[in-house]
Amino acid sequence: MIGRISRGEVLSKVKIILSGSSNGLSTTSTMVAAICYAWLLQNREEEDVAVIPVVNIERGRMNKHEEAAWLFFHVGIDASELLFADEVDLGNLLMNRQLSMLVIGQDVLKTKNEVGSLCTILTDNYCEEAYDLLQNPKLKNLLLAGILLDTHNLNSTSSFVAKRDAEAVRLLSAGSSPDYRHELFEQLMQDHKDSLFLEALKKHYGKATHDSKGKSLPVVAAPTRTPNPGPLPGKERETRGKNKFFLAKWFGFGSK
């Protein structure tokens, strides 16, 4: 969809929902929040806008996030349809002012530690005004897993667990067995050696991306300021479209 809009085949704007830094929360839960927020927003968006979640790591590094990869596999998310930071070239959209970007935890679903999980905020926001959307089984399982990971299964000894977290878990667990959340949390914590999962892991994410010294390559950081839509310097105009990390230069991202 991004490619079709960028080439002018579809008259629309793009709203990117980018998973943010974890800031003490589970990396998996920030991915979940981005995917679920984009899905809910797309189903309620009245304007002609394509809302697309982007996981803010390289696809190859998902091998280091087995917890998230297993959750997507378990819920039935087609990993080939997920977009990662190293797969998005948004040059034309930026130049044509067709792009807006929201970062989870910075622009939307912000928390001041009043809840233990961003997924709790998302569940709260939609539990009344769009309750029917929350009945999607995949969405419910993703949000439930995000909350359980951030709160260590509502463990009172966790860094922070609020009443709202427990209420969101009850809402998302409705219709499931009484022990379902405990079973799901235990599965998330396991070292997954199932042959079907390992096959899917290799198929959809390949080998982890490393530099010549064996270190993981830097990922695109979340933007902290609005990009200047003016013309790119000559050197960057020449490389635009070839280097999929040109967004890091455009926004002034670091490579720490």
Side-chain angles (χ1 to χ4, degrees):
M1 179 59 73
I2 289 179
R4 292 176 65 196
I5 294 173
S6 181
R7 293 189 296 271
E9 298 172 7
V10 178
L11 296 178
S12 179
K13 292 185 177 181
V14 173
K15 183 176 290 185
I16 294 292
I17 310 299
L18 186 70
S19 64
S21 57
S22 58
N23 291 328
L25 301 175
S26 162
T27 302
T28 299
S29 74
T30 65
M31 297 180 192
V32 165
I35 292 169
C36 293
Y37 183 79
W39 189 87
L40 289 166
L41 198 62
Q42 181 69 75
N43 280 274
R44 299 183 69 246
E45 191 72 57
E46 296 180 358
E47 301 177 6
D48 186 19
V49 177
V51 185
I52 301 173
V54 174
V55 179
N56 195 20
I57 62 170
E58 300 169 12
R59 179 178 288 273
R61 292 188 65 183
M62 275 294 283
N63 287 278
K64 302 296 184 181
H65 298 276
E66 188 177 291
E67 180 183 84
W70 180 86
L71 176 61
F72 297 154
F73 174 79
H74 173 72
V75 172
I77 299 296
D78 185 352
S80 66
E81 294 187 1
L82 294 176
L83 274 178
F84 291 79
D86 57 331
E87 300 172 333
V88 184
D89 187 342
L90 305 176
N92 288 338
L93 297 174
L94 284 167
M95 297 292 286
N96 295 330
R97 299 174 183 266
Q98 291 176 278
L99 176 72
S100 61
M101 187 179 298
L102 298 174
V103 183
I104 295 296
Q106 292 185 23
D107 303 312
V108 292
L109 304 183
K110 294 181 286 187
T111 176
K112 295 181 180 179
N113 294 326
E114 72 274 18
V115 295
S117 176
L118 300 178
C119 293
T120 295
I121 300 176
L122 184 52
T123 303
D124 275 0
N125 289 350
Y126 285 88
C127 67
E128 293 184 4
E129 58 182 281
Y131 181 76
D132 56 322
L133 294 178
L134 285 178
Q135 300 313 299
N136 180 290
K138 292 182 180 180
L139 194 76
K140 288 174 68 174
N141 274 293
L142 286 172
L143 289 172
L144 177 60
I147 298 172
L148 296 180
L149 288 169
D150 284 336
T151 64
H152 300 283
N153 196 16
L154 300 180
N155 191 327
S156 59
T157 62
S158 181
S159 57
F160 192 84
V161 179
K163 181 180 179 182
R164 287 172 61 188
D165 296 308
E167 291 174 346
V169 166
R170 281 195 294 271
L171 176 67
L172 296 169
S173 301
S176 302
S177 67
D179 295 327
Y180 179 69
R181 75 173 174 93
H182 301 291
E183 295 170 356
L184 177 59
F185 183 72
E186 288 178 4
Q187 289 177 316
L188 286 165
M189 294 295 98
Q190 289 177 6
D191 185 16
H192 303 286
K193 299 299 183 183
D194 178 77
S195 59
L196 291 178
F197 167 67
L198 294 177
E199 182 180 339
L201 190 70
K202 182 178 180 180
K203 174 183 177 182
H204 293 301
Y205 307 114
K207 294 182 179 180
T209 306
H210 293 84
D211 63 16
S212 59
K213 296 181 180 180
K215 297 180 180 180
S216 296
L217 293 172
V219 300
V220 178
T224 56
R225 59 184 176 87
T226 303
N228 180 355
L232 289 167
K235 184 177 180 180
E236 296 206 9
R237 280 201 303 270
E238 295 173 1
T239 59
R240 183 166 59 83
K242 297 179 181 179
N243 178 9
K244 293 201 174 185
F245 281 94
F246 82 95
L247 270 178
K249 298 178 182 178
W250 178 281
F251 284 104
F253 297 158
S255 56
K256 298 178 181 179

